[in-house]
C-alpha cells in the first residue's frame, strides 16, 4: 500500500505508462469460454459479502485477493472500476489478462436515486485510451421508478459508443421492485429475466458488440427457456453467495447447469470467488475454472 500511495502521489502519470506497456491478449484463446473476476462493487457503496457488511472495504486485502485470483491459470481477466484497475496496472497484475471497465456507478446502493444510475465510471473513450478490452454496465428496470428511463437512455448511447470503438460491452439487466420499506430487490423469476434480456438486447443502433451478463434464475431449470430470448453471447454473474454452509456449492451447481446452454460463454463472478466461506480464494477460482 505504501508503494502504491507513493507512486500515486509523486508519479500519477505512472498509470497511463503502465497501461501503455501492458501485454494485451485476444478476447478468446484456447477455449471459447471466459472466466472474469468482478470487483466493481465498492464504487457503488456495495461492500458487503454474506454477513460481513464491510468485507470489501479493506483495499489492501481486496487487491491481494484479486492478484491471487488473476494469477490462477484459468482466469481470463478482471472487471472493476477505474481506481481498482489503476491499482492493478501499477502492480503489473493485468499483463496477459482482460481489463473490463465499469461504466455506471452512480446508482449507489440503498440511495433514493439508485435506479437513476448515472454513468460516473469509465467512459468508452477512457477504455479505448487505456487499451482496455471491454466495458460493463448495469441496467436495472423498475416500471414504477422514472429513474429507469434515464438509465435506459444512457445505456443505449453507451452501446452505440462502444460499438463505434469496436469494444465489447457486457450489459447486466435486471427487473427490479421496491418493497414496502423502499429496499430494492431484483426479480429472478424466469419471466422477469426473460423480459430484461429482451429489453437489453435491443438497446442502441447495433447489437454487434453487446454481450449479456445474466443472473441464474431462482429456479435454475428455467435457464434453458430464459436463454432462448436472445442470440447475443452471455456470461453468468455470481452475486452475493450468502452465508449458509452450502451456499458456495449451490452456486457452483447452478453455474454448471447453465454453462451447458449454447448461448452461455462463461462466468463473471466476484464475491463468490474473492470471499469464499472457507477463505480459499485459489481453490474457489480453480473450481470455477473447472466448470468451463
Amino acid at each position: 500500500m505504501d508503494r502504491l500511495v507513493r507512486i500515486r502521489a509523486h508519479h500519477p502519470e505512472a498509470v497511463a505508462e503502465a497501461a501503455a506497456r501492458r501485454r494485451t491478449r485476444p478476447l478468446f484463446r484456447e477455449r471459447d469460454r471466459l472466466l472474469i473476476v468482478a470487483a466493481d462493487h465498492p464504487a457503488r457503496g456495495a461492500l458487503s459479502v454474506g454477513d460481513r457488511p464491510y468485507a470489501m472495504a479493506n483495499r489492501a486485502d481486496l487487491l491481494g485477493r484479486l492478484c491471487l485470483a488473476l494469477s490462477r491459470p484459468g482466469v481470463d481477466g478482471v472487471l472493476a472500476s477505474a481506481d481498482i484497475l489503476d491499482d492493478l496496472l501499477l502492480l503489473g497484475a493485468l499483463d496477459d489478462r482482460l481489463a473490463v471497465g465499469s461504466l455506471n456507478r452512480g446508482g449507489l446502493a440503498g440511495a433514493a436515486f439508485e435506479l437513476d444510475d448515472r454513468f460516473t465510471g469509465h467512459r468508452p473513450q477512457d477504455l479505448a485510451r487505456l487499451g482496455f478490452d471491454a466495458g460493463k454496465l448495469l441496467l436495472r428496470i423498475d416500471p414504477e421508478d422514472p429513474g429507469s428511463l434515464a438509465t435506459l437512455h444512457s445505456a443505449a448511447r453507451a452501446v452505440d459508443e462502444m460499438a463505434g470503438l469496436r469494444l465489447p460491452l457486457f450489459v447486466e439487466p435486471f427487473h427490479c421492485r421496491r418493497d414496502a420499506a423502499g429496499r430494492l430487490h431484483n426479480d429472478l423469476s424466469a419471466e422477469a429475466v426473460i423480459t430484461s434480456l429482451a429489453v437489453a438486447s435491443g438497446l442502441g443502433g447495433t447489437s454487434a458488440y453487446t454481450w449479456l451478463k445474466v443472473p441464474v434464475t431462482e429456479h435454475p431449470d428455467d435457464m434453458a427457456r430464459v436463454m432462448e430470448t436472445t442470440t447475443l453471447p452471455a456470461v453468468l454473474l455470481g452475486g452475493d453467495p450468502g452465508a449458509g454452509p452450502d451456499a458456495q456449492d449451490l452456486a457452483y451447481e447452478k453455474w454448471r447447469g447453465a454453462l451447458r446452454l449454447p448461448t452461455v460463454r462463461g462466468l463473471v463472478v466476484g464475491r463468490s470467488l474473492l470471499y469464499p466461506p472457507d477463505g480459499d480464494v485459489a481453490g474457489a477460482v480453480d473450481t470455477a475454472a473447472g466448470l468451463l
Side-chain angles (χ1 to χ4, degrees), residues 103 124 127 134-135 158-169 209:
L103 276 65
L127 301 178
V159 168
D160 290 335
E161 290 183 51
M162 291 292 285
L165 295 167
R166 298 188 176 184
L167 287 173
L169 178 63
Y209 291 87

Side-chain angles (χ1 to χ4, degrees), residues 25 27-36 73-76 288-290 292:
R25 49 155 284 179
L27 191 65
F28 293 115
R29 291 198 294 197
E30 297 84 5
R31 63 187 185 194
D32 64 346
R33 295 290 189 274
L34 295 174
L35 176 56
I36 296 174
V75 173
D76 293 288
L292 303 180

Side-chain angles (χ1 to χ4, degrees), residues 266-292:
L267 295 167
V268 178
V269 181
R271 291 168 289 185
S272 295
L273 303 185
L274 293 173
Y275 298 88
D278 62 1
D280 184 4
V281 175
V285 170
D286 293 348
T287 300
L291 300 177
L292 303 180

